[in-house]
Amino acid sequence: MAHDFPVQRSCPFAPPAEYEKLRDEAPVVRGKLPGGEVWLVTRWAEARQVLSDATISTAPSTPGNALVAMSAEPPPPEVLEAQAEQGRGFFIDMDPPEHSVYRKLLIPEFSYRRIKELRPGIQATVDRLIDDMLAQGTEADLVEAFGLPMPSLVICQLLGVPYSEREFFQSRTRRMLTDEDEAGRTAAVGELRGFLSGLVAEAEKAPGDDLLGRLVTARAVPHEDMVGMMFLLLVAGHETTANMIPLSVLSLLRHPDQLRQAIDDPSLWPGAVEELLRFHSIVDWVAFDRATTQEIEIGGRKIGAGEGVLVLGASANRDERVFPDPDRLDIRREARPHVAFGYGVHQCLGQNLARAELEIALRTLFERVPGLRVDTPDEELSFKYTAPIFGMNALPVSW
C-alpha cells in the first residue's frame, strides 16, 4: 500500500505523526505523491545508505527523480527551460564528478579552521543585534530582531553581498520556497539570480577580500556558474539557520531543565546544538530527493533503476534503533550521528558555519538576557507547517 505524501507537521517539537508508523512498518515504504509513487526511506541506517550510494543520483534530470512527482502535472516547456538555465552552478543538484569540481573550490572557505577564524566576527554580530534588541525595550519578535538578521549578516559578510540588499534576497527566497505557483517560484529564482549576476560582474571588475572575490580571482568557473554557486550559498546560508534559532530558543525555554544545564556548564552548548538539529530536523526530505540509476537493494527491498527515492530525514533522526527515547530532548545525548546535514558527498558544506552560528547565538542570548521568556501558548504561536523548511513566522519574547 502506498502512503499519501507529503504530510505536514502538527507539533513544533515533533515530525509528522505518521513517520513513527512508517518506521514501524518498514525501512522503505511506498509513497503516493501528486505526480506518482516513489520510495520513502524511514530509518537511519537506510537513510545513510541512500545518501552515500554513488549509484543513486541527486540530479533532477535523472529519470525517476522523486521531486518531479511532487507536482501533479509536469512543468511547461518554458519553465523547464528556465529551470535548466538557472541550475548552472547549483551544485547540490549535481552528481560527481561535476559536483566535486564545485565542492573542492569551496571546502577551504568552510573548513573547521576557517570557521574558527570567523567566530570573533560572528560573536560581534550577535552582540550587536542583542544590543539593538535590548535598546528597543523589554519585548521583541525574536525572528525579526535576531533569528533572521543574524545569519543574514554573517553570510552577507562572508560572501561579499551588501547587507543593504537583505530585504530583496530574503523576500525572493521566501517566494521561491513558499509560492504555490510553479511559475512564481521560477520567477523569484530568476530575479535573485539576476541580482547576484550583477554582484559577480562587479567582483570580476574589482574583486574584494571575500569569498566571491577569491573565487573570481581564481577564475575557476564561468560567470553563470559562479552566479549559481553564490545563489546556493546565499539561500542555504541564511534560511536554515534563521529558522533554527527561534525554534531552538522556544525548545529550550519549554525544557528549562535542559536550558539550566547548558547555562551552568557552557561546555554543553556544542552538544546541545547537535541535539536541537536532530530534534527539529527542519529540512526533512528537502534536498534528499534521489533517483536510482541501477537496481539496488535498500532495507531488504529490490528497487529497480529509474525509481524515485525520498529520504525522510526527520524520521531517520527519530529512529529508536539509533537514538533511544528519540522524542525526548536531551542535550547530553550523543546526537552527532544525525542526518540533519545529510550524509556522504552531498553532506552540507556549510555545517561548520551553521554549528558555530547556533552555538554562539544561543549561548550569548541566554547569557545576556537571562530573563528571556515566551508567554504565548504554543498553540497561539505561528509556525511554518506548510513550508518545505520548517520554522516560525514570529516568536514574541519578553524579558
Side-chain angles (χ1 to χ4, degrees):
M1 181 186 77
H3 302 269
D4 289 336
F5 193 84
V7 289
Q8 292 182 14
R9 302 178 190 232
S10 57
C11 171
F13 309 116
E18 292 86 348
Y19 281 10
E20 183 176 0
K21 298 175 184 177
L22 295 181
R23 279 198 309 279
D24 289 343
E25 178 180 328
V28 185
V29 301
R30 292 296 278 172
K32 183 170 66 176
L33 278 62
E37 293 189 1
V38 302
W39 295 99
L40 305 176
V41 181
T42 68
R43 299 179 188 170
W44 180 86
E46 288 74 18
R48 286 172 48 119
Q49 176 192 346
V50 169
L51 294 174
S52 60
D53 193 318
T55 70
I56 299 179
S57 172
T58 189
S61 58
T62 302
N65 179 269
L67 203 59
V68 176
M70 283 291 175
S71 300
E73 298 292 336
E78 59 272 18
V79 171
L80 288 173
E81 184 177 347
Q83 290 175 340
E85 178 61 25
Q86 292 168 353
R88 291 185 57 180
F90 202 77
F91 59 93
I92 194 175
D93 283 345
M94 299 176 186
D95 296 322
E98 187 180 16
H99 167 267
S100 306
V101 173
Y102 295 90
R103 192 173 180 94
K104 287 178 180 177
L105 286 173
L106 294 167
I107 284 176
E109 298 286 350
F110 292 94
S111 66
Y112 178 82
R113 178 179 178 180
R114 174 61 178 145
I115 301 306
K116 186 177 180 180
E117 295 171 352
L118 296 176
R119 288 180 72 96
I122 298 172
Q123 183 70 63
T125 297
V126 168
D127 282 328
R128 186 166 65 253
L129 288 170
I130 293 176
D131 287 341
D132 293 344
M133 187 175 74
L134 294 176
Q136 297 302 312
T138 59
E139 58 184 20
D141 173 4
L142 196 71
V143 172
E144 289 298 324
F146 189 68
L148 187 58
M150 194 284 282
S152 296
L153 272 167
V154 171
I155 198 63
C156 283
Q157 293 168 352
L158 179 64
L159 300 183
V161 176
Y163 188 63
S164 59
E165 303 290 349
R166 67 191 183 282
E167 291 185 6
F168 175 85
F169 76 74
Q170 287 170 359
S171 66
R172 297 314 184 272
T173 299
R174 270 159 180 69
R175 279 180 54 197
M176 181 185 72
L177 293 173
T178 62
D179 198 318
E180 295 183 1
D181 178 58
E182 181 79 32
R185 294 195 298 270
T186 302
V189 172
E191 291 173 12
L192 188 52
R193 284 187 65 104
F195 163 71
L196 292 172
S197 181
L199 289 180
V200 172
E202 292 176 10
E204 288 169 341
K205 297 176 184 176
D209 183 21
D210 48 47
L211 185 150
L212 175 57
R214 288 187 287 275
L215 290 177
V216 166
T217 300
R219 300 183 182 278
V221 296
H223 175 94
E224 285 301 320
D225 296 62
M226 186 72 70
V227 171
M229 292 172 66
M230 291 291 290
F231 176 89
L232 176 58
L233 295 175
L234 184 62
V235 173
H238 89 273
E239 184 68 22
T240 48
T241 306
N243 282 311
M244 271 300 299
I245 291 173
L247 275 174
S248 298
V249 168
L250 178 65
S251 295
L252 290 170
L253 289 174
R254 296 302 193 238
H255 295 79
D257 59 322
Q258 301 287 298
L259 176 57
R260 176 47 55 189
Q261 291 181 54
I263 291 174
D264 291 344
D265 182 1
S267 69
L268 294 177
W269 279 114
V273 166
E274 299 299 336
E275 173 68 346
L276 288 162
L277 288 164
R278 179 201 72 85
F279 189 72
H280 285 294
S281 300
I282 62 172
V283 175
D284 197 1
W285 49 267
V286 177
F288 293 165
D289 54 296
R290 300 292 191 266
T292 56
T293 61
Q294 62 185 49
E295 185 180 274
I296 186 173
E297 182 174 314
I298 306 173
R301 287 229 184 225
K302 293 284 187 181
I303 298 176
E307 297 202 48
V309 180
L310 275 178
V311 172
L312 308 186
S315 179
N317 283 336
R318 297 287 179 116
D319 190 344
E320 304 84 348
R321 298 155 192 80
V322 181
F323 307 104
D325 196 6
D327 296 329
R328 180 171 61 90
L329 182 70
D330 179 5
I331 66 170
R332 294 179 180 271
R333 181 197 304 273
E334 180 48 60
R336 192 66 181 255
H338 65 72
V339 293
F341 290 121
Y343 189 68
V345 297
H346 287 283
Q347 192 171 35
C348 176
L349 184 68
Q351 59 183 293
N352 291 325
L353 176 61
R355 287 185 170 107
E357 289 178 318
L358 289 168
E359 179 194 334
I360 293 170
L362 295 173
R363 172 182 51 78
T364 307
L365 186 65
F366 285 111
E367 284 178 354
R368 294 196 53 194
V369 195
L372 190 72
R373 64 184 186 274
V374 176
D375 295 324
T376 308
D378 293 343
E379 59 270 18
E380 296 179 17
L381 295 171
S382 179
F383 296 95
K384 300 178 181 179
Y385 287 124
T386 62
I389 298 178
F390 184 59
M392 304 189 71
N393 293 304
L395 179 60
V397 297
S398 53
W399 53 87

